[in-house]
Amino acid sequence: MGGIVDKTAGVFIKLFVFQWDFALFLLNLVTPDRKEGQVVPIGCPGHNLSWPEYVPPKEGDSRSACPMLNAMANHGILPHDGKNITFVELNHKIRQTFNFAPTFCFFVPKFAADFLNRSYWKDKFDLEEISKHNAIEHDASLTRQDAALVPDQAKPDLKLVHDLLAEATGKMADGSARLTIPDLSRALAKRRVDARKTNTNYSESFFHNVFGSSNSSTMLTLFGGSINDLTPMLTEERFSEHWEPRVRSRFGLTMAKFNMTVLPVERGVDTKKIEKEQAEAAGATN
């Protein structure tokens, strides 16, 4: 009986969150954006483009497969040891740091609490627990080798990161390199093809593919695809100097708005094209 009640409550919570999110999406259309330099609220780390000191993780610190969560711990926005974090605290800190909408900031930590069988309202977690395989963490990540090959997901694979950054074909206003939606789609396609070849335990589903595109799309929304900003984030899990979220919407990045980037990224993933290119390249060398 309790399980049925919990599932019913979960459905109502999701419906409420999605309706709330769409309302915030509409409000963002008719309210002024936050001013540059003022995206992070007054009194919060990162306000006025000033981030706390970066301190790399030491032995015994807990880190996850998510570069942005790790960066928050490395800068002391979350506990530096990455341990005993409440889901409610994570909600608030993500909201302040990245200007995600409150709906987004509730939905993702709540999802994490659920797959860890914890109470969102009362319990705590360590960052490494977020890396539970095939929950948020998934095969064919753009910054990590698959868990079957490298069980410890705390550190980025620098070759994968540099391969990703090398896909950039766009330009920022200052002429520096920028990742675009097609670049990200191509990088994801390559990773899925390569992961299938190298990981005999490789698993893939529509949910994980969309989640992979969602994780990757933060590079385009929050970072504007800027290679200058993404390089320290993905290699050292550090905020670049004077960085702030590119999303300046008054009520933050909603799930509705975010999906306008996620869905084109996922639709553009063409693994068959990559497989054909690799076969042709292999034939040319034989």
Side-chain angles (χ1 to χ4, degrees):
M1 184 67 180
I4 295 175
V5 171
D6 289 343
K7 288 182 180 179
T8 302
V11 170
F12 278 111
I13 288 173
K14 288 179 181 177
L15 287 174
F16 171 76
V17 170
F18 291 147
Q19 290 175 345
W20 179 23
D21 187 78
F22 189 67
L24 294 178
F25 170 78
L26 295 177
L27 284 171
N28 278 335
L29 297 177
V30 298
T31 53
D33 286 347
R34 299 172 189 240
K35 295 180 180 179
E36 290 188 21
Q38 307 296 311
V39 176
V40 176
I42 295 175
C44 296
H47 176 71
N48 201 25
L49 313 180
S50 178
W51 295 97
E53 180 185 3
Y54 167 80
V55 180
K58 65 180 186 299
E59 185 176 354
D61 286 345
S62 183
R63 293 295 184 266
S64 73
C66 175
M68 295 195 303
L69 292 183
N70 293 347
M72 291 172 70
N74 291 339
H75 285 273
I77 299 167
L78 292 173
H80 189 270
D81 65 2
K83 298 178 180 179
N84 296 313
I85 303 166
T86 70
F87 295 98
V88 174
E89 175 187 12
L90 182 64
N91 175 333
H92 295 160
K93 296 296 185 180
I94 291 175
R95 171 97 173 99
Q96 295 166 359
T97 303
F98 295 109
N99 195 29
F100 277 114
T103 45
F104 210 132
C105 296
F106 169 78
F107 187 84
V108 175
K110 179 65 167 60
F111 177 75
D114 289 345
F115 74 66
L116 291 175
N117 293 315
R118 310 266 174 89
S119 166
Y120 168 83
W121 305 104
K122 298 184 297 183
D123 290 337
K124 300 180 180 181
F125 69 97
D126 297 346
L127 285 178
E128 63 195 63
E129 295 180 280
I130 296 293
S131 299
K132 181 179 178 181
H133 186 54
N134 277 345
I136 291 176
E137 185 278 331
H138 53 84
D139 287 337
S141 162
L142 292 176
T143 66
R144 264 75 173 165
Q145 290 289 348
D146 293 351
L149 306 179
V150 182
D152 184 1
Q153 294 286 293
K155 295 181 180 180
D157 182 296
L158 294 183
K159 182 181 183 306
L160 289 180
V161 171
H162 290 305
D163 286 347
L164 164 64
L165 299 177
E167 291 288 340
T169 62
K171 296 291 184 182
M172 301 293 291
D174 63 2
S176 60
R178 175 177 68 89
L179 281 171
T180 67
I181 286 177
D183 296 337
L184 204 52
S185 297
R186 182 173 175 82
L188 285 164
K190 284 183 176 180
R191 270 298 289 140
R192 291 175 192 175
V193 170
D194 292 342
R196 290 170 190 166
K197 293 178 179 178
T198 57
N199 178 10
T200 57
N201 295 316
Y202 179 78
S203 62
E204 184 178 317
S205 68
F206 176 76
F207 170 79
H208 290 128
N209 285 346
V210 172
F211 213 103
S213 291
S214 297
N215 291 339
S216 305
S217 292
T218 58
M219 301 180 206
L220 304 180
T221 52
L222 300 180
F223 293 85
S226 169
I227 298 301
N228 287 342
D229 291 333
L230 286 170
T231 298
M233 173 56 64
L234 299 182
T235 60
E236 302 175 69
E237 301 183 330
R238 170 177 66 83
F239 294 113
S240 62
E241 189 175 3
H242 305 313
W243 177 83
E244 72 173 351
R246 288 296 203 287
V247 174
R248 296 195 288 120
S249 301
R250 178 67 51 182
F251 296 96
L253 179 60
T254 61
M255 292 183 286
K257 178 68 172 179
F258 189 50
N259 284 335
M260 292 181 182
T261 300
V262 174
L263 297 179
V265 167
E266 182 57 31
R267 281 199 302 266
V269 175
D270 189 346
T271 54
K272 290 182 179 180
K273 180 179 180 181
I274 299 300
E275 289 169 347
K276 182 180 179 181
E277 289 177 0
Q278 291 181 351
E280 290 174 349
T285 58
N286 291 335

